[in-house]
Amino acid sequence: MQGVTSVPGFKACGIASGMRRSGRKDLALVLNTGKKPVAAGVFTSNRFAAAPVLYSRAVLSKGATGMRSVVLNSGSANACTGENGLKDAVATAKAVGTALEIDPRQVLVCSTGMIGTPLPMDKMLSGIETAAASLSEEGGADASWAILTTDNEPKTVHYQADGYQIGGMAKGAGMLAPALATMLCVVTTDALLDAETAQKALEVACAKTFNRLDSDGCMSTNDTVILLASGESGKAPSGFTAALTETCAQLARKLADDAEGAQHTVEIAVTEAENEAGALIAAKTISRSNLVKTAIAGCDPNWGRIVSELGTVPESVCPYDPSKVSVLFNGVQVCKNGAAWGNREDVPFDSREVHLEVRLGAGKAQASVLTNDLTHEYIHINADYSS
Amino acid sequence: MQGVTSVPGFKACGIASGMRRSGRKDLALVLNTGKKPVAAGVFTSNRFAAAPVLYSRAVLSKGATGMRSVVLNSGSANACTGENGLKDAVATAKAVGTALEIDPRQVLVCSTGMIGTPLPMDKMLSGIETAAASLSEEGGADASWAILTTDNEPKTVHYQADGYQIGGMAKGAGMLAPALATMLCVVTTDALLDAETAQKALEVACAKTFNRLDSDGCMSTNDTVILLASGESGKAPSGFTAALTETCAQLARKLADDAEGAQHTVEIAVTEAENEAGALIAAKTISRSNLVKTAIAGCDPNWGRIVSELGTVPESVCPYDPSKVSVLFNGVQVCKNGAAWGNREDVPFDSREVHLEVRLGAGKAQASVLTNDLTHEYIHINADYSS
């Protein structure tokens, strides 16, 4: 089993509140039933952060210990909705508190969907009552369906560590260029954690995983990653940050694999760099090039577009000598010392995964970024869908 | 008449050397026949600058006064070609010098096309002989055709100033995100200029025009803008920088109008900013959002995508209060004080031109950027074309 209820101490559900015209599931609720509940959160750095982000960030900063529940809806992002949007987020938390008989300050709120439209509060409030009555220890799968927007499939995960477990769910297929977090994600664990340890571990895990995922260069107003710990395993975990990072990496990979219209999931590794920060910026810069991404859509190992994008990274940020740069496409070298090398027709393009390595010849540091190709289907989804 | 031979003191031609398999024109030559020849140049800041850029920059820095000729080829960019590429650029200039009976140091070299493939020097050298014999005072039109790659049509211009004239040609339809210059462009004038005045005027004109054009966020390795002055008008010009800026603005507009696959030319104006530099960065950031560009392709006034992109610009770079931001699409306000406003169905989308205004409510400065939408045709061109 995978998902948020795959570890002890959690109940969840996903229901159709009627917020989405299609009648699909659109409201998820996660409840931490553990005796030592703790939460942590990482949020978007977008200056137009949505009302649920502003609300959850504030509530979490005042009481991560004892945090019990997360309510998530798809269909409306409650972003750019002004004072009324904030009131709606507060009313949502209050309704969950009443329905679950807990303090509203023990409830976090996440929304995703169309920017600029108000939450349909009548449907939200009646949906919360239905959801509260539907909570179960098998509800993780339904919850993972309820948070999707343009995703083709739900993303869930389970990780068995030494003496504790981690489960999780995430949504996101477009507008994936997190800066501090990505889209909506709830990770649960039965590890016994204090709030500070939980928050630090989540920040490290996000920096290494979701923050190195860039689908289309567009950062959302609603990105939120929540960690809920139930403490049901009864003991403090060993190697928790590494286990959490691995869990988040698996979810990040699933987000990339389902990116809007993508035919290829692309890992861009910048190696032999002088320092990791510079390598990461170089990898992100390459990952945002529409010309690199369309070349991969066309199964064309076009290293010229890669080095020309690399050439836009300032020397002060990422020092290297252009005449020492090499490029490998799926393990086949196509550029050596800044010029053509080998036979580009030898590059295999038969699997979804594409591995791109750019060797700078400037040191021993490296960094990788996950991205995807840019296809006709992406244009179709985003020219026709109002989001 | 428009183009590089539309002003006194210039000859040009465009011929088919056989470098392009299609048999189209691929080699252009421009000769300054004036008595007081002077040149200026602005080049790409890409660290993988192509051999012709390295060569022309060096030659120009040693002798802008007396510079007589520019040779331009399409089909091969002579970029990422190492030492041999540089030798080929030198040999090209030398061949032009011999054919025109001038010093090779009076010749600038520009190339555009595929990155990483060597110049076909046999065709280049025989082509130069043909071209030298074809030079004429009516050759500007042919020259403007010979420099095209994915462009649908040539871009030429003529500007009548007070006592002097300016003509020009440019190519470029993709990989248009100049940082210091754009693609290939030759501007001619009969104004009497010294080298320093010419260089300063060109730098100002580029900063205000080509550097505010961003088609697909991708900066080329070969961007070059050359100004050639013949001095044939016999006198120092008045208002030259303004006239040159207007000329370059007309060419920049033509580049945007012919951008790869574009159905809309989009002007993004960020107004009511605290300072111009911040407004320019905000406008460029919005212009690089694939979600904004696909929305415009779908004729959708999706202001949510605009403010969410604006929200990624750091406050230190561009100060504003999100709750005071407004957005207008083709003159119709769709967002006020950071929230929905008016009826987005009132936004007209019936012309190619789209005007987007983002009012920050933070001051009186402003800046504009030209871009275009992101369409199926862009994917088609760039997934199938090896460039």
Side-chain angles (χ1 to χ4, degrees), chain A residues 45-48 79-82 114-116 174-175 216-221 260 289-291 294-295 297-300 302-305 307-315 318-323 325 338-340 344 374-387, chain B residues 45-48 79-82 114-116 174-175 216-221 260 289-291 294-295 297-300 302-305 307-315 318-323 325 338-340 344 374-387:
Chain A
S45 61
N46 198 300
R47 289 163 73 186
F48 284 87
C80 300
T81 44
M114 180 89 178
I115 296 175
M175 213 182 237
D216 58 2
C218 298
M219 185 211 294
S220 158
T221 48
E260 284 173 351
S289 163
N290 282 352
L291 288 177
T294 48
C299 296
D300 174 13
N302 196 321
W303 61 270
R305 294 182 181 178
V307 300
S308 95
E309 197 62 39
L310 177 65
T312 67
V313 180
E315 190 167 5
C318 183
Y320 65 84
D321 175 351
S323 74
V325 170
R344 50 200 274 165
L374 175 60
T375 67
H376 284 288
E377 189 60 17
Y378 179 88
I379 306 292
H380 177 64
I381 293 167
N382 287 297
D384 302 338
Y385 172 73
S386 264
S387 67
Chain B
S45 61
N46 197 301
R47 289 163 73 186
F48 285 87
C80 300
T81 44
M114 181 89 178
I115 295 174
M175 214 182 235
D216 58 3
C218 297
M219 186 209 293
S220 158
T221 50
E260 285 173 351
S289 164
N290 282 351
L291 289 177
T294 48
C299 296
D300 174 12
N302 197 321
W303 61 270
R305 295 181 182 178
V307 299
S308 96
E309 197 62 38
L310 177 64
T312 67
V313 179
E315 189 167 5
C318 182
Y320 65 83
D321 174 350
S323 74
V325 169
R344 49 200 275 167
L374 174 60
T375 66
H376 285 288
E377 189 60 18
Y378 179 89
I379 307 290
H380 178 65
I381 293 168
N382 287 297
D384 302 339
Y385 171 74
S386 265
S387 68

Side-chain angles (χ1 to χ4, degrees), chain A residues 180-380:
Chain A
L180 284 194
T182 186
M183 312 312 293
L184 301 190
C185 174
V186 178
V187 178
T188 53
T189 181
D190 59 352
L192 183 64
L193 295 171
D194 61 71
E196 195 186 339
T197 306
Q199 184 65 32
K200 274 191 185 161
L202 187 61
E203 286 174 9
V204 170
C206 286
K208 294 269 183 194
T209 59
F210 298 122
N211 277 359
R212 297 189 178 194
L213 168 69
D214 192 324
S215 162
D216 58 2
C218 298
M219 185 211 294
S220 158
T221 48
N222 289 57
D223 293 343
T224 301
V225 181
I226 302 286
L227 168 66
L228 298 176
S230 68
E232 291 298 282
S233 69
K235 53 181 184 179
S238 69
F240 182 72
T241 301
L244 183 64
T245 301
E246 175 56 29
T247 308
C248 290
Q250 288 181 23
L251 280 172
R253 183 87 199 183
K254 291 187 182 201
L255 293 170
D257 284 344
D258 194 24
E260 284 173 351
Q263 286 156 358
H264 293 98
T265 300
V266 186
E267 184 179 13
I268 301 176
V270 172
T271 63
E272 298 181 4
E274 196 209 46
N275 64 78
E276 186 184 353
L280 183 58
I281 288 171
K284 282 200 173 185
T285 302
I286 294 166
S287 79
R288 291 192 176 183
S289 163
N290 282 352
L291 288 177
V292 170
K293 293 165 74 142
T294 48
I296 293 170
C299 296
D300 174 13
N302 196 321
W303 61 270
R305 294 182 181 178
I306 291 161
V307 300
S308 95
E309 197 62 39
L310 177 65
T312 67
V313 180
E315 190 167 5
S316 56
V317 169
C318 183
Y320 65 84
D321 175 351
S323 74
K324 290 185 179 164
V325 170
S326 296
V327 179
L328 289 85
F329 250 97
N330 284 334
V332 177
Q333 186 152 10
V334 289
C335 167
K336 186 175 179 177
N337 295 334
W341 181 262
N343 188 350
R344 50 200 274 165
E345 279 160 33
D346 292 343
V347 176
F349 258 106
D350 41 13
S351 79
R352 183 183 169 95
E353 279 67 41
V354 172
H355 187 268
L356 190 57
E357 183 181 350
V358 181
R359 293 183 184 154
L360 300 184
K364 292 179 176 177
Q366 56 182 317
S368 290
V369 164
L370 267 187
T371 185
N372 48 268
D373 53 356
L374 175 60
T375 67
H376 284 288
E377 189 60 17
Y378 179 88
I379 306 292
H380 177 64

Side-chain angles (χ1 to χ4, degrees), chain B residues 196-243:
Chain B
E196 193 186 341
T197 306
Q199 184 65 33
K200 273 192 186 163
L202 187 61
E203 286 173 10
V204 170
C206 285
K208 294 271 183 192
T209 59
F210 298 122
N211 277 0
R212 298 189 178 193
L213 168 68
D214 191 324
S215 161
D216 58 3
C218 297
M219 186 209 293
S220 158
T221 50
N222 288 57
D223 292 344
T224 301
V225 182
I226 302 286
L227 168 67
L228 299 175
S230 68
E232 291 298 283
S233 70
K235 53 180 182 177
S238 69
F240 182 71
T241 301

Side-chain angles (χ1 to χ4, degrees), chain B residues 29 65 74 84 89 112 122-123 138 152 166 171 177 200 213 215 225 236 241 272 286 351 372 375:
Chain B
L29 196 56
T65 305
S74 56
N84 286 332
T112 181
D122 52 338
K123 283 163 186 150
E138 287 81 41
N152 290 306
I166 308 178
K171 64 82 51 174
K200 273 192 186 163
L213 168 68
S215 161
V225 182
T241 301
E272 300 182 2
I286 295 167
S351 80
N372 48 268
T375 66

Side-chain angles (χ1 to χ4, degrees), chain B residues 77-99:
Chain B
N78 194 11
C80 300
T81 44
E83 281 300 313
N84 286 332
L86 212 51
K87 282 181 192 157
D88 287 346
V90 173
T92 301
K94 204 168 166 184
V96 172
T98 304

